[in-house]
Amino acid sequence: MKMQDLIIKTRSYRRYRQDKIEDDFLKELVNLGRLSANHKNRQPLKYIISNQKNINNRIFPTLVWAKNISNWHGPAEEERPVSYIVILHDHEIDGYVGQNPGIAAQSIVLGAMEHGIGACMVANIKRDVLRQALDIKSNLEICLVIALGYPKEKIVLDEMLNDDNTKYYRDDDNVHHVPKRRLEDILLS
Ligand SMILES: Cc1cc2nc3c(=O)[nH]c(=O)nc-3n(C[C@H](O)[C@H](O)[C@H](O)COP(=O)(O)O)c2cc1C
């Protein structure tokens, strides 16, 4: 797949089919994070993979989903993520977090979509609850949770009009729309 097509397909999917993802594939995704660019090459990121229902059930309630969509508080039981990758920053390795988690996360979600697996990066996390639920040590900062599963929703990109309305929404057919600013509106010179 051409990079532009892959990036267009790599949307934030929040409703998933329940087909399982192999443990080894999740490890391959973490490997993409491992190989990604990072500040001073200090490689402070650590990862937790969850591919089991009982652990998934501990992670799910700590996540806040799609705040723009009112009256929807996340996927129903039969549409929930089948796997998660939690990205942690180890402060014992380096004090600087910066952009590292986002760069690793983008590698991971692109690698997932290359194989038809959808993902959603979630930063709005009840961190204290997740830390307790997964017994995460205090030197590890919880940066992002990546929810994963085969997409069970259609998402389209819309070209934004000049009204500065960036709010994503679902239409009457349950299609998720994501407005994107036009290239000429962000390219300053
Ligand atoms: C750093 C980051 C944090 C995000 N956190 C959340 C989140 O907490 N909950 C959520 O439902 N979506 C979250 N998202 C997904 C964004 O809402 C999504 O990227 C945005 O609506 C644009 O849609 P797109 O990813 O399909 O382009 C996050 C995305 C990024 C990059």
Side-chain angles (χ1 to χ4, degrees):
M1 202 184 317
K2 281 177 69 178
M3 183 54 85
Q4 181 170 320
D5 295 333
L6 181 60
I7 289 175
I8 287 171
K9 280 187 80 173
T10 306
R11 305 270 54 86
S12 294
Y13 295 97
R14 299 182 179 87
R15 292 173 286 177
Y16 311 91
R17 296 184 349 232
Q18 294 304 293
D19 310 65
K20 296 274 168 237
I21 301 172
E22 296 291 321
D23 284 347
D24 282 350
F25 183 70
L26 294 168
K27 285 184 192 162
E28 278 178 37
L29 293 181
V30 170
N31 199 37
L32 297 180
R34 180 181 76 88
L35 296 171
S36 298
N38 65 93
H39 184 68
K40 288 186 177 165
N41 200 33
R42 288 293 293 143
Q43 304 168 66
L45 298 182
K46 302 276 173 71
Y47 301 83
I48 295 172
I49 286 172
S50 172
N51 207 16
Q52 285 175 35
K53 197 135 187 111
N54 62 327
I55 302 177
N56 290 350
N57 286 343
R58 286 190 237 157
I59 297 174
F60 179 79
T62 71
L63 307 179
V64 179
W65 294 86
K67 272 204 142 179
N68 272 1
I69 301 176
S70 48
N71 299 323
W72 190 76
H73 303 293
E77 181 107 38
E78 63 281 6
E79 298 182 331
R80 287 190 185 164
V82 296
S83 313
Y84 295 93
I85 295 173
V86 182
I87 304 185
L88 306 160
H89 171 98
D90 188 343
H91 280 275
E92 282 178 357
I93 295 179
D94 204 79
Y96 179 78
V97 180
Q99 290 78 21
N100 296 336
I103 290 168
Q106 185 67 3
S107 298
I108 289 170
V109 299
L110 286 170
M113 185 39 67
E114 188 188 16
H115 294 266
I117 294 171
C120 185
M121 293 180 212
V122 179
N124 196 344
I125 306 162
K126 293 167 193 152
R127 285 179 167 74
D128 293 344
V129 184
L130 183 62
R131 184 177 295 284
Q132 271 212 324
L134 299 186
D135 198 17
I136 296 170
K137 292 197 185 120
S138 58
N139 56 303
L140 299 171
E141 180 177 334
I142 299 170
C143 302
L144 279 170
V145 173
I146 304 179
L148 293 146
Y150 289 90
K152 199 186 162 188
E153 67 179 338
K154 187 174 175 197
I155 304 183
V156 294
L157 295 180
D158 296 332
E159 193 162 279
M160 245 175 81
L161 306 170
N162 274 334
D163 58 2
D164 201 39
N165 187 357
T166 57
K167 266 197 165 185
Y168 52 83
Y169 67 96
R170 286 199 193 133
D171 67 20
D172 293 342
D173 295 321
N174 242 338
V175 174
H176 184 95
H177 290 256
V178 185
K180 294 289 183 190
R181 295 185 198 280
R182 296 178 307 179
L183 186 57
E184 56 266 39
D185 292 335
I186 60 166
L187 196 53
L188 302 182
S189 60

